[in-house]
Amino acid sequence: MIAALRHYDPPSLSERLRETHAMTRPLMIEIIETACRRVPSLGQNGCTARLSRLIDAEAWADAALVLIELELPMWQVRRIAYDEGEWHCALSRARELPDWLDTAVEACHGDLAIALLSAFVEVQALAVEASRPSVPSVRRRRDPLYEPVACDNFG
């Protein structure tokens, strides 16, 4: 995954999304080219064709939702809310959990599509940072203070 996203710079893309006022086709294409690894490899199947039609129609929020669906199959939109002129979006892996137990990724912006894509970029940044194997890892060195203790009771 890291090799596929080597040129991907989440902080600069996040900053660019924060500073933009409205979604544009060039910005959407840039996000797809820099932050997406599945969409280019899918070719022109039904989902990517739908994404292309939404981009052509400038249906930015719908395109952002399709992009999240394609790129982050384990993540779902947990919340979309509009408050005091800003859209607040949260993406979550465990939408069924109560808010206080869930570790959702949240973003906000005055434009709904940009808020959704900001959350998407944050999740992608987490994936790049935490690219770990699917099996738990074991520390290779012992803690210097670690000392085994026998606790059998033969009495």
Side-chain angles (χ1 to χ4, degrees):
M1 180 188 310
I2 292 177
L5 298 175
R6 190 173 320 177
H7 65 285
Y8 176 46
D9 185 14
S12 67
L13 192 53
S14 293
E15 185 176 316
R16 181 137 182 243
L17 285 168
R18 263 192 310 276
E19 292 174 355
T20 195
H21 298 291
M23 181 55 65
T24 62
R25 182 182 177 82
L27 181 57
M28 179 63 87
I29 300 302
E30 179 184 350
I31 290 167
I32 291 170
E33 288 176 352
T34 58
C36 298
R37 63 177 216 284
R38 292 181 186 201
V39 171
S41 66
L42 288 174
Q44 194 65 18
N45 69 12
C47 291
T48 55
R50 189 172 95 202
L51 179 62
S52 295
R53 285 192 308 271
L54 291 169
I55 291 170
D56 290 341
E58 297 184 0
W60 304 125
D62 291 334
L65 290 169
V66 169
L67 200 58
I68 291 168
E69 178 185 336
L70 291 172
E71 286 290 320
L72 305 172
M74 301 295 290
W75 291 78
Q76 298 174 340
V77 175
R78 179 177 182 92
R79 180 178 51 257
I80 297 176
Y82 186 75
D83 186 32
E84 295 185 12
E86 284 196 328
W87 288 97
H88 299 265
C89 299
L91 300 180
S92 171
R93 291 186 86 174
R95 190 171 68 176
E96 295 78 26
L97 289 176
D99 281 347
W100 59 277
L101 282 176
D102 189 20
T103 53
V105 174
E106 298 188 32
C108 61
H109 194 276
D111 182 270
L112 176 58
I114 295 172
L116 285 164
L117 289 168
S118 295
F120 167 78
V121 167
E122 292 301 318
V123 170
Q124 291 288 57
L126 288 174
V128 169
E129 289 173 13
S131 63
R132 325 173 250 202
S134 60
V135 294
S137 60
V138 179
R139 286 189 289 181
R140 295 183 187 260
R141 305 183 321 179
R142 273 196 206 148
D143 187 356
L145 300 177
Y146 172 78
E147 191 170 321
V149 175
C151 51
D152 292 334
N153 185 359
F154 297 108

